[in-house]
């Protein structure tokens, strides 16, 4: 499992004191309060404050003292160490743990391997296998089971075919 997690993306500076607005890539922007430090472009920053606002949050970081310093972070990923992440409830996982999982139908037919996930209200998965790419949304009833330990995602074939786009 990866030792780091991408938890947000910097959208823009906020105000003149170095605060940044970020798009949370966690279930809730409130979750960002759990991380005592973050990394942006390999530089470690102590998190001074987090103000959630919908699916975004405003972060104050030690070392980012003004708008000019904050501007340099625009568009960059906010990374956290997995060891700093809160304990997950049972049957939940980080999306990064699903990357590389094999996708199989309920009858065991392999459809390929998950190579990308776009977080959204309904996450979008990309599967590669047999020289093709399949994009599907994780709409209700599509994914039957995710076993990150076994690196396997089981889908309902009928429902999968309703939402999948084959390239």
């Amino acid at each position: 499992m990866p030792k780091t997690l991408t938890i947000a993306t910097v959208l823009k500076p906020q105000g003149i004191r170095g605060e940044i607005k970020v798009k949370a890539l966690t279930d809730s922007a409130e979750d960002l309060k759990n991380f005592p430090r973050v990394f942006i472009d390999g530089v470690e920053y102590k998190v001074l404050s987090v103000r959630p606002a919908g699916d975004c949050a405003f972060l104050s970081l030690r070392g980012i003292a003004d708008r000019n310093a904050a501007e340099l972070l625009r568009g960059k990923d906010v990374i956290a160490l997995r060891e700093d992440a809160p304990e997950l409830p049972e049957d939940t996982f980080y999306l990064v743990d699903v990357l590389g999982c094999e996708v199989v139908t309920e009858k065991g037919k392999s459809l390929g391997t998950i190579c990308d996930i776009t977080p959204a209200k309904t996450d979008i998965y990309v599967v590669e296998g047999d020289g093709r790419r399949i994009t599907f949304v994780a709409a209700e009833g599509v994914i039957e089971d995710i076993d990150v330990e076994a690196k396997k995602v089981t889908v309902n074939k009928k429902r999968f075919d309703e939402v999948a786009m084959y390239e």
Side-chain angles (χ1 to χ4, degrees):
M1 290 190 187
K3 295 183 186 213
T4 61
L5 303 166
T6 303
I7 59 170
T9 301
V10 179
L11 297 175
K12 65 179 190 140
Q14 177 68 28
I16 61 172
R17 296 183 185 207
E19 193 173 49
I20 56 174
K21 181 177 184 180
V22 300
K23 167 79 169 133
L25 300 177
T26 55
D27 287 342
S28 164
E30 285 280 335
D31 295 338
L32 299 179
K33 289 181 174 182
N34 295 312
F35 296 94
R37 60 185 166 164
V38 296
F39 297 82
I40 303 174
D41 268 356
V43 178
E44 181 177 345
Y45 296 97
K46 181 178 183 341
V47 178
L48 301 176
S49 70
V50 178
R51 291 186 303 120
D55 61 351
C56 294
F58 299 99
L59 303 182
S60 291
L61 305 174
R62 177 171 285 146
I64 306 298
D66 61 27
R67 186 177 185 87
N68 292 333
E71 184 63 48
L72 297 174
L73 303 179
R74 185 188 292 262
K76 304 206 184 262
D77 287 336
V78 179
I79 309 293
L81 297 177
R82 183 181 285 270
E83 66 192 45
D84 290 341
E87 187 77 25
L88 290 175
E90 193 172 324
D91 293 330
T92 59
F93 50 85
Y94 292 107
L95 290 181
V96 70
D97 296 335
V98 180
L99 291 173
C101 285
E102 179 184 20
V103 177
V104 297
T105 66
E106 68 271 43
K107 292 183 179 177
K109 181 183 178 207
S110 179
L111 300 174
T113 303
I114 296 174
C115 64
D116 192 22
I117 302 172
T118 303
K121 293 287 184 200
T122 305
D123 297 333
I124 302 166
Y125 290 69
V126 178
V127 176
E128 285 185 342
D130 293 335
R132 66 181 181 182
R133 288 172 62 96
I134 307 167
T135 303
F136 72 96
V137 294
E140 187 175 328
V142 176
I143 296 176
E144 292 186 349
D145 183 54
I146 296 177
D147 185 345
V148 293
E149 297 299 321
K151 298 298 279 177
K152 184 164 66 169
V153 174
T154 305
V155 296
N156 177 297
K157 180 67 168 137
K158 180 179 183 294
R159 188 74 174 106
F160 179 87
D161 285 340
E162 292 172 359
V163 299
M165 293 178 11
Y166 294 82
E167 296 177 30

